[in-house]
Amino acid sequence: MIIATDGQNRITPEEVGAAVFPPARLGRRGVDEQNVREFLSIVQDEMLRLHAERTSLIEELQRLRSLLLGKEDEIPTYTIGDAHRQAVRLLSSAQQTADRTVDDAQVYSRDIAEEARRRGDEIMLQARNRAMVQQADTQVPARPADDGERALLEAELSRLRTYSEVCRTHLRTYLAALASSVEEWERADSSTLPPGMTRSR
Amino acid sequence: MSGERLKESFEYVARQGDLVPLFFYSDLFLRNPELREMFPVSMAQQRDRFFDALGRIVADVDNHPRLTTYLHQLGRDHRKFGVVEEHYTALGASLLATLAHFCGSAWTADLAADWRAAFGLVSRIMIKAATIDEGHHPAWWDATVVGHETRSTNVGVIRVAPEQRLDYVPGQSVSIESELRPRIWRYYSIANASREDGTLDFHIKVVDGGALSGALARRARAGQRLRLGAPVGTLSLDENSDRDIVMLAGSTGLAPLKAILEQISWRATPPRVHLFFGARTSYDLYDLAGLDKLAAQYDWLAVTSAVSDDPYFPGQRGTVAEVAAKYGPWTDRDAYICGSPRMVSVSVSQMRMLGMPAQQIHFENYDWRERRTSVGVSNDNRY
């Protein structure tokens, strides 16, 4: 049989059309039967293979299509009847009641805790003021009893000292930055200006 | 799918305010009663969050890179709430029903198809992110309280043992849910670098009226069960810097800085570190003993505490930013700052005023997950 098949021995429609069969052996008429049988067997195999491929492709297509449609259809469309609308309304108002109850409880607990904290701070401060006064009394009995106030003023003084130190640090930083810009400016000044314009130092 | 049409219809629906998410959740729970127990009793915050997320998705519907990043995060986050693929279908159906209800006659077949396609896309991206995440992390870490210490009326310190190894970077936070307050998740910073036994410390400050902090700070006991979410947060040690360090901690904002401090202590030659620890009153300096011990142990570490509202405090008085400024300037150091949003903003501007370059200042970025985040302080204000 004289046909050109590809490496995988598959046959194309063109090859079928171009198939040439050698003449039969001497004493026989027509084409060589053996050759024709071989050819038909190749064609049959090819057809079986194509058929199987086609079936599996159709299955694959159906699977993909149903997946795609399934994804789209996965989200059902609800129709909302009157009864459902009523139920939604009821549940919503129950939820709002619950939300308010929780919120009330949280606000109440927050208020109480804040109030307790404030009172606690007050009591602590009073106790400490009193302790300071008593301490001052035992150390210098003749002193007037306004040491609590004095302690507060001292506290304020110390706070002011902190502020003044912060300001000083800021000033230091600012001056350092200024000094470095002046240096930079001077460097730039002498290097970039035309020679005639350089200031004499 | 038309982005314009989605935005327009969302704006129209959003004008009807809280009624919309209220309808949505009622519809969802009526059709799927089993979903109700995934949520806390009060749904007020949940409704806001849901609406915010939806608004954000619709606003970015034409900005795919940003939308995808956000949805990945959202998908991963929802694993700890026990959300699985099947739930998305129920959510989608109730969302479409809600939109149809509020759009009224404006709800056309085209609009329905747009929303259906948009929700399909959103849920597929979230599910995919969750699925990928499944390969790397559990949905949550089951954990047990192994230690509890009341440090002051306002602060409790708990030690927690996760059942599975939890990897994190010192400075990061995790969200916590306690059996004391089911379905309520809050973020807390981990206060230590990784230990061999895997235990984690948390500094819990009581927030007045807070849903979880009070219970955790006061009523946590050894043996109680917790769930931990995946670690998050961007405050971490700059390993490429050889500069010395100044740290500013406001109250329980100390927690992540302490974790970073431990990490520094492992270095062969640690940089010099000056830690300023500030609080309102002296009894709010809940970890002074521990810090003094560290300072005695390491010659590269100095600790200064500052108290702002206590006239009798014998040490430094003023806000932590003021006291730190007194010891400045710090221009040649890196700064690590953590505390309440106010404390952080004041401290950052103080450091800038002292001439510190912005890239040397590290603080928790509150924007990294909308309002669902923050650092170690006022934990109950974050969701």
Side-chain angles (χ1 to χ4, degrees):
Chain A
M1 179 181 58
I2 304 160
I3 54 159
T5 59
D6 64 19
Q8 292 170 321
N9 203 25
R10 295 191 70 161
I11 189 162
T12 65
E14 289 79 11
E15 285 162 352
V16 174
V20 178
F21 296 92
R25 271 173 282 150
L26 277 174
R28 289 198 161 206
R29 285 157 47 124
V31 292
D32 186 291
E33 198 188 324
Q34 184 58 30
N35 262 302
V36 175
R37 291 244 165 266
E38 276 174 26
F39 181 74
L40 287 178
S41 153
I42 293 173
V43 173
Q44 192 187 14
D45 284 350
E46 181 64 26
M47 285 180 71
L48 282 171
R49 193 157 34 212
L50 287 174
H51 195 74
E53 275 179 9
R54 186 169 166 277
T55 314
S56 90
L57 280 174
I58 287 171
E59 277 169 11
E60 174 77 353
L61 183 68
Q62 276 169 346
R63 195 182 66 80
L64 287 173
R65 190 175 283 156
S66 74
L67 205 66
L68 204 63
L69 289 176
K71 274 273 183 265
E72 292 286 328
D73 274 352
E74 211 176 272
I75 306 170
T77 305
Y78 295 152
T79 44
I80 298 184
D82 277 346
H84 183 74
R85 205 161 288 154
Q86 285 291 356
V88 166
R89 207 167 294 149
L90 268 176
L91 187 57
S92 296
S93 94
Q95 182 62 58
Q96 283 175 309
T97 309
D99 294 347
R100 265 196 299 275
T101 309
V102 171
D103 189 53
D104 285 351
Q106 277 183 350
V107 168
Y108 183 62
S109 109
R110 190 188 63 215
D111 289 353
I112 285 188
E114 278 174 359
E115 176 64 11
R117 201 182 301 282
R118 197 182 57 75
R119 288 279 297 280
D121 286 353
E122 261 176 32
I123 292 167
M124 282 293 274
L125 193 63
Q126 276 170 11
R128 280 159 142 182
N129 285 346
R130 221 170 290 144
M132 289 297 273
V133 171
Q134 274 168 10
Q135 202 182 8
D137 281 351
T138 43
Q139 278 167 357
V140 191
R143 273 226 181 136
D146 59 353
D147 281 76
E149 199 183 333
R150 184 191 157 84
L152 277 176
L153 283 173
E154 272 173 1
E156 187 54 32
L157 189 67
S158 135
R159 197 174 163 79
L160 285 172
R161 265 195 210 113
T162 303
Y163 271 124
S164 104
E165 279 172 63
V166 171
C167 288
R168 244 179 272 165
T169 315
H170 278 174
L171 208 59
R172 264 204 307 277
T173 321
Y174 179 67
L175 286 175
L178 212 60
S180 87
S181 353
V182 166
E183 248 172 60
E184 225 168 82
W185 176 68
E186 281 183 340
R187 266 201 305 278
D189 193 28
S190 53
S191 61
T192 59
L193 289 181
M197 289 178 71
T198 313
R199 279 182 303 154
S200 56
R201 300 245 163 113
Chain B
M1 181 170 97
S2 152
E4 273 316 300
R5 213 152 44 194
L6 288 178
K7 282 180 195 170
E8 209 175 282
S9 60
F10 180 73
E11 270 165 34
Y12 177 76
V13 168
R15 276 201 286 276
Q16 305 175 66
D18 195 41
L19 289 177
V20 181
L22 193 61
F23 185 101
F24 166 77
Y25 280 112
S26 296
D27 185 83
L28 181 71
F29 297 149
L30 278 170
R31 294 181 199 273
N32 313 275
E34 72 283 0
L35 295 188
R36 181 60 182 91
E37 65 187 50
M38 293 173 72
F39 294 87
V41 174
S42 170
M43 292 289 292
Q45 281 189 353
Q46 182 62 36
R47 287 198 295 274
D48 287 348
R49 255 178 258 170
F50 170 76
F51 226 55
D52 284 353
L54 196 59
R56 192 164 163 174
I57 290 167
V58 172
D60 275 350
V61 76
D62 297 320
N63 183 341
H64 282 227
R66 198 158 69 190
L67 182 61
T68 310
T69 312
Y70 175 64
L71 290 174
H72 281 171
Q73 177 82 52
L74 211 56
R76 283 196 295 270
D77 269 3
H78 273 71
R79 290 184 62 214
K80 69 169 183 256
F81 303 123
V83 174
V84 293
E85 196 166 339
E86 292 81 66
H87 295 146
Y88 286 91
T89 315
L91 289 172
S94 284
L95 178 63
L96 288 173
T98 304
L99 293 166
H101 175 77
F102 286 96
C103 280
S105 58
W107 187 251
T108 60
D110 282 349
L111 193 54
D114 281 350
W115 275 100
R116 184 175 288 271
F119 185 84
L121 183 70
V122 164
S123 58
R124 276 197 296 281
I125 295 174
M126 286 177 68
I127 290 165
K128 197 177 156 210
T131 312
I132 291 171
D133 198 49
E134 257 171 53
H136 304 284
H137 307 293
W140 64 78
W141 281 258
D142 284 311
T144 313
V145 177
V146 291
H148 171 263
E149 206 183 319
T150 306
R151 292 283 176 86
S152 75
T153 45
N154 300 325
V155 180
V157 172
I158 59 172
R159 180 162 294 184
V160 166
E163 276 166 27
Q164 273 174 281
R165 192 185 152 77
L166 193 156
D167 289 316
Y168 63 97
V169 179
Q172 282 193 306
S173 315
V174 295
S175 50
I176 300 184
E177 185 207 27
S178 162
E179 64 175 324
L180 296 169
R181 297 284 185 273
R183 319 280 169 247
I184 300 203
W185 292 81
R186 295 287 185 270
Y187 281 91
Y188 294 97
S189 295
I190 301 170
N192 59 286
S194 319
R195 297 188 182 118
E196 230 160 77
D197 66 1
T199 55
L200 309 170
D201 288 353
F202 296 97
H203 300 175
I204 317 281
K205 182 176 179 168
V206 177
V207 176
D208 294 341
L212 180 61
S213 65
L216 273 186
R218 298 199 190 99
R219 292 180 44 210
R221 294 292 176 271
Q224 276 169 4
R225 310 283 298 152
L226 304 176
R227 282 176 179 183
L228 311 177
V232 291
T234 54
L235 180 74
S236 62
L237 182 64
D238 179 0
E239 296 274 19
N240 297 317
S241 166
D242 52 5
R243 280 184 287 270
D244 288 336
I245 289 170
V246 56
M247 289 181 166
L248 276 66
S251 184
T252 45
L254 176 66
L257 300 185
K258 220 180 159 189
I260 292 176
L261 210 55
E262 272 187 41
Q263 187 188 6
I264 292 172
S265 75
W266 295 342
R267 284 198 186 169
T269 48
R272 280 188 303 151
V273 179
H274 198 144
L275 168 67
F276 292 90
F277 178 34
R280 215 170 53 80
T281 64
S282 52
Y283 43 86
D284 284 328
L285 294 172
Y286 66 94
D287 202 32
L288 214 48
L291 290 176
D292 285 345
K293 213 172 96 187
L294 285 181
Q297 191 180 347
Y298 302 124
D299 57 359
W300 46 268
L301 174 66
V303 175
T304 303
S305 48
V307 161
S308 61
D309 293 5
D310 187 344
Y312 291 114
F313 181 63
Q316 297 288 338
R317 282 200 283 272
T319 65
V320 64
E322 286 163 356
V323 173
K326 254 173 66 176
Y327 285 77
W330 302 104
T331 34
D332 54 348
R333 294 205 183 202
D334 288 334
Y336 290 86
I337 300 170
C338 192
S340 66
R342 199 182 136 62
M343 176 270 170
V344 169
S345 89
V346 167
S347 301
V348 169
S349 54
Q350 182 74 266
M351 288 295 122
R352 295 287 290 129
M353 264 156 57
L354 287 171
M356 185 179 276
Q359 68 271 18
Q360 281 167 231
I361 305 177
H362 305 264
F363 57 97
E364 188 71 34
N365 179 356
Y366 287 84
D367 282 341
W368 57 262
R369 233 179 61 190
E370 288 185 306
R371 297 179 296 145
R372 304 180 115 227
T373 172
S374 161
V375 275
V377 154
S378 63
N379 293 294
D380 267 291
N381 293 330
R382 31 173 160 156
Y383 349 58

